[in-house]
Amino acid sequence: METLTATIIGPLAALTAALFWALATLLYSQAGSYLSAAQLNLVKGIVACPLLVLAGWFTGQLLAIEGNLATYLLLASGVIGITLGDTLYFAALRRLGPWHTMLLEYLAPPFAALLAWLLLAQGMRWFEVVAALVIISGIFVVISEKPKSAERVQLNMSGVAAGVGAALCQALGLVMSFHALQEFEMSPLNAALLRLLAGTFALTIALLLLKPSLIQSTRSALRHTSIPWLLVAIVMGTFLAIWLQQTAIAYINPGLAQTLLATAPLWLIPIQWFRGQPLSARSIFGALIAVGGIALLFGIQ
């Protein structure tokens, strides 16, 4: 049963988290939000943290926060991955546009694998490396196809640095969280709660010190936003996705977990098809390559 959990439930949790992130991306656009990136990040945390507390209480997993190394690692990983990482990601998005930013985001899986190997001596097995490379190759084929309507964005050093920094912060936060879950007794739900609390608290302090006007204008911005769509997006993309993310890294190597979490663009392909939008041969080909890598991963294990 323990082997089944490690080899099946961990990867499935990562893939499901990627699906929820893909759906949440569409729902955020459906909400027509007037919230800025920082405001949206703040609202997500404010809504999702109580939901994680309630989930922990109902499932009996909510524990008192202890001042051990695991707690500090998770708090720090929340600040690095959620506060700093997301800020750098949105900065890259503004400077480079979505396509180049997404390409740089795929530095996160190799960063996570390298950091896990250097800091934790957690290497990936040969077939996991092969499967991860196949999956990343398929995703690269999909997201490197720029739509004809996409605007040309000139690359600049500050945007590239922000994109690389975002991938590094995401990977480092994931590895720190992996170490906490491997070395100490803590449920993935509590780990998710600690990370999100730290990220939301740090973001709130940063906004109060640097740009308090954003906090004051959040309420008026919400009046122009479809609250039901926004809430569904937060439940799926933050509450459930971060819980599933922590479940995944509790059982599988950070590099592999980050690779499977990065499959969100692949889920947009069938969603796009169900919505009646045409699919390109390139996106289908890339998706098949990535699915082949995922099948290879499950088949060998």
Side-chain angles (χ1 to χ4, degrees):
M1 182 64 184
E2 188 174 328
T3 303
L4 176 67
T5 300
T7 59
I8 302 297
I9 294 183
L12 281 178
L15 291 170
T16 308
L19 169 61
F20 285 158
W21 277 326
L23 289 170
T25 300
L26 296 176
L27 290 170
Y28 282 128
S29 61
Q30 188 71 29
S33 177
Y34 282 73
L35 296 164
S36 69
Q39 288 172 322
L40 180 58
N41 211 359
L42 183 64
V43 171
K44 280 167 30 177
I46 291 173
V47 173
C49 282
L51 291 177
L52 285 169
V53 171
L54 286 174
W57 183 70
F58 278 116
T59 59
Q61 298 182 50
L62 193 62
L63 301 175
I65 297 177
E66 299 178 4
N68 56 23
L69 180 59
T71 298
Y72 298 131
L73 278 172
L74 289 165
L75 291 173
S77 72
V79 174
I80 292 171
I82 296 174
T83 306
L84 183 57
D86 286 354
T87 300
L88 289 171
Y89 179 81
F90 291 128
L93 199 61
R94 179 170 296 181
R95 290 170 172 80
L96 302 177
W99 299 102
H100 289 114
T101 302
M102 279 195 293
L103 288 174
L104 289 172
E105 189 70 8
Y106 285 95
L107 289 171
F111 277 159
L114 181 61
L115 287 169
W117 176 60
L118 291 175
L119 301 178
L120 307 178
Q122 285 280 342
M124 294 172 65
R125 291 169 287 184
W126 69 267
F127 63 85
E128 291 177 336
V129 174
V130 172
L133 289 174
V134 173
I135 294 168
I136 292 174
S137 299
I139 297 170
F140 183 84
V141 170
V142 173
I143 68 171
S144 61
E145 179 183 24
K146 183 183 291 188
K148 295 179 181 179
S149 60
E151 297 180 0
R152 291 185 175 273
V153 179
Q154 187 174 3
L155 292 177
N156 60 80
M157 288 304 297
S158 63
V160 171
V164 173
L168 182 59
C169 286
Q170 186 178 12
L172 182 56
L174 197 77
V175 169
M176 294 170 71
S177 189
F178 172 82
H179 180 55
L181 289 171
Q182 291 295 312
E183 296 297 322
F184 302 91
E185 288 292 331
M186 182 174 292
S187 71
L189 189 147
N190 281 286
L193 176 59
L194 282 175
R195 292 195 73 207
L196 194 58
L197 278 173
T200 304
F201 179 76
L203 179 62
T204 303
I205 297 301
L207 289 177
L208 286 172
L209 294 175
L210 302 175
K211 212 164 186 179
S213 59
L214 274 180
I215 294 181
Q216 297 168 0
S217 61
T218 299
R219 181 177 295 181
S220 61
L222 283 170
R223 295 195 186 100
H224 302 283
T225 303
S226 175
I227 300 299
W229 286 117
L230 180 62
L231 289 176
V232 174
I234 291 173
V235 169
M236 296 186 72
T238 305
F239 165 58
L240 292 174
I242 196 172
W243 188 355
L244 288 165
Q245 178 204 57
Q246 295 303 126
T247 301
I249 63 176
Y251 299 111
I252 56 179
N253 180 278
L256 183 59
Q258 186 65 71
T259 301
L260 295 174
L261 290 166
T263 58
L266 299 181
W267 289 107
L268 291 176
I269 295 174
I271 294 171
Q272 192 179 44
W273 181 74
F274 278 118
R275 297 176 73 189
Q277 299 178 15
L279 301 178
S280 70
R282 182 170 178 169
S283 65
I284 295 173
F285 178 63
L288 289 175
I289 293 174
V291 170
I294 295 170
L296 177 66
L297 174 67
F298 281 96
I300 294 179
Q301 297 193 76

